[in-house]
Amino acid sequence: IDTTFRSAGSYRAPYLLENSDAAILRFPFPFPEDTYMYSMNIEPHVKAGEVDSLRRTFDVDEHYVVECQEKARILSEDPKRCIVLPHMQKAEWDFIELAMNSLSEDYPDLFHLSRDGMRWHWINRPLNIDQHFVFGDAGTLPYAPFEFMARQMQGDFTLQDQRDNDLWMDGGMVTSQADWSLKFDLGMSFKQWHAPVPKAGEMGIFDRGLRFLLMLQHGMPVRRLNWTMTINPRLDTSPENFTIWGRDRTVVTDDNAKDLVHLRVELQTLFRLPRSNAILFAVRCYLLPLRDIALVHKWRIRLHRVLRDLDPALSAYKGLDLYRAHAVHYLSQFDNNELTSKGI
Ligand code: HEM
């Protein structure tokens, strides 16, 4: 893969996020049909898929360095974005092992891991990290193990303990979320943290999703795509900072929608961790403005129809009500009602 990283970019005002043509073409466009409703859209997370972003265990793209810098800044402003409960220590080391093995295997030019028994040596070239440590001995790392590694990866991560036939969100680092909070959800069960979501509970999706995850096997990760929309290329749309980004939703017009409104896609991957039996939930966020979506014929037509016909309960939950009509207005110019086929 092309491993050139952008040196400039800003995920807060003044915003600056540019996507190369290659980055646009690897965007995981989430709609297989012209309409959208929640579903059990879980598939094996194998190193294959329609776009390149799906083909590695953890996707690293041109925004890697700037995104890790933004994460570090959020953590310095609000250290409680990373919390791991004490009984999750084994899961922290499981995470280190999974992340270091996968990154060094998938990107040998960027990351290198050598292991001599418990003595490990980790090199992260893009972030200039060269760390010797003893696996299992937290005192040999500059941060707690989970935090050390999650700081070096794009996206959010939560650790779920499995007890009493349920999953409990007992740790995580969450800095690029779509309006939910780790502090608030910490210690909750699968159905408790999903309580704000409309419709999906009644449709049986959370019953089936939980049953499926309780049986997830080590070495057989799964993935699903989720989506929402965000004004400006802002990663940190957290409830904690709602006063900063919430009002941006009121300034969208028919004219500026193409630049301000971004389709926000989450590539969610789920892994059983071997020692702790915990589940790692990873959320990789991709942001693309409507003007870039409009470069791809099928995407601009499909997004127009999805947004135009979106269930009002989903529109309200995703926070789109203040500007959805402007996005639909912009995209409508591309749609002359031609028939499209399923799949992308
Ligand atoms: C939303 C976490 C697995 C379906 C959410 C939210 C969180 C979350 C924090 C936001 C809730 C809010 O508004 O406060 C997780 C974690 C999972 C997991 C940690 C695994 C351990 C799943 C699975 C499914 C699912 C397996 C479906 C099969 C959904 C749906 C939404 C949602 C449909 C609403 C998303 C939207 O409309 O933007 N999840 N989830 N989740 N989750 Fe999950």
Side-chain angles (χ1 to χ4, degrees):
I1 64 154
D2 180 3
T3 49
T4 325
F5 299 112
R6 290 186 175 271
S7 53
S10 170
Y11 293 102
R12 50 182 82 192
Y15 292 95
L16 173 67
L17 181 71
E18 284 165 345
N19 285 287
S20 64
D21 288 347
I24 295 172
L25 287 174
R26 70 198 300 289
F27 183 75
F29 190 75
F31 305 113
E33 294 178 61
D34 284 354
T35 55
Y36 176 81
M37 181 34 83
Y38 294 141
S39 66
M40 276 286 292
N41 58 338
I42 300 179
E43 63 179 13
H45 185 35
V46 287
K47 291 186 183 182
E50 252 156 333
V51 283
D52 184 64
S53 50
L54 301 174
R55 297 183 194 144
R56 284 160 204 88
T57 304
F58 298 104
D59 184 41
V60 170
D61 69 10
E62 65 185 19
H63 305 296
Y64 174 74
V65 173
V66 175
E67 199 172 320
C68 288
Q69 286 165 352
E70 169 71 359
K71 184 181 272 202
R73 205 165 140 182
I74 294 168
L75 286 164
S76 69
E77 290 165 357
D78 184 2
K80 286 275 184 281
R81 297 302 189 88
C82 179
I83 314 174
V84 182
L85 296 180
H87 65 277
M88 301 303 280
Q89 273 177 24
K90 263 192 203 164
E92 296 201 37
W93 291 106
D94 277 335
F95 175 62
I96 284 239
E97 182 181 47
L98 172 67
M100 289 186 178
N101 279 341
S102 324
L103 289 171
S104 56
E105 192 185 305
D106 286 343
Y107 311 92
D109 297 345
L110 304 180
F111 307 103
H112 183 77
L113 176 67
S114 47
R115 299 165 62 150
D116 171 15
M118 290 302 179
R119 299 189 172 279
W120 290 27
H121 181 198
W122 169 246
I123 298 174
N124 176 335
R125 294 202 174 88
L127 297 185
N128 283 316
I129 294 170
D130 185 323
Q131 182 72 44
H132 291 268
F133 65 100
V134 177
F135 187 85
D137 181 353
T140 58
L141 285 172
Y143 296 98
F146 172 80
E147 178 168 358
F148 176 72
M149 201 61 232
R151 279 175 174 268
Q152 300 177 49
M153 297 167 78
Q154 290 170 272
D156 290 341
F157 301 91
T158 62
L159 294 171
Q160 281 65 227
D161 196 18
Q162 184 160 330
R163 311 185 296 274
D164 307 329
N165 267 323
D166 211 333
L167 294 171
W168 306 86
M169 197 187 284
D170 285 345
M173 179 186 284
V174 176
T175 55
S176 56
Q177 71 273 49
D179 206 6
W180 64 278
S181 158
L182 174 67
K183 252 172 276 179
F184 187 76
D185 286 1
L186 193 77
M188 284 190 185
S189 68
F190 189 84
K191 287 193 187 146
Q192 286 171 341
W193 77 65
H194 278 119
V197 181
K199 299 227 167 192
E202 301 138 51
M203 294 168 68
I205 289 175
F206 295 134
D207 281 325
R208 277 179 286 155
L210 175 59
R211 243 181 294 138
F212 181 90
L213 289 182
L214 290 174
M215 294 187 305
L216 187 67
Q217 301 290 305
H218 175 232
M220 300 178 73
V222 294
R223 68 182 174 221
R224 61 186 296 271
L225 294 176
N226 182 48
W227 71 278
T228 185
M229 307 197 90
T230 302
I231 305 309
N232 293 313
R234 186 172 176 91
L235 286 174
D236 175 26
T237 47
S238 56
E240 289 91 331
N241 283 332
F242 183 79
T243 49
I244 297 174
W245 59 268
R247 74 175 80 98
D248 296 345
R249 303 180 302 175
T250 64
V251 303
V252 180
T253 63
D254 285 352
D255 290 334
N256 66 21
K258 64 182 185 307
D259 298 316
L260 290 188
V261 179
H262 290 64
L263 181 58
R264 180 185 192 106
V265 175
E266 297 179 345
L267 168 57
Q268 307 182 340
T269 48
L270 292 134
F271 304 80
R272 173 72 66 193
L273 300 177
R275 296 176 189 76
S276 57
N277 201 42
I279 285 184
L280 170 71
F281 179 65
V283 187
R284 217 7 209 94
C285 172
Y286 300 82
L287 288 163
L288 212 56
L290 295 185
R291 64 164 189 274
D292 287 348
I293 299 278
L295 296 173
V296 178
H297 179 74
K298 196 149 193 174
W299 292 358
R300 63 195 183 211
I301 294 177
R302 182 153 284 170
L303 183 61
H304 170 245
R305 296 176 187 181
V306 164
L307 288 180
R308 182 191 62 196
D309 302 336
L310 189 64
D311 187 293
L314 271 66
S315 177
Y317 169 70
K318 291 174 186 286
L320 317 185
D321 287 352
L322 287 170
Y323 58 84
R324 181 160 60 107
H326 300 299
V328 171
H329 180 268
Y330 166 69
L331 290 167
S332 65
Q333 65 184 296
F334 306 114
D335 189 355
N336 55 13
N337 294 317
E338 69 192 81
L339 288 177
T340 60
S341 58
K342 276 196 178 187
I344 54 166

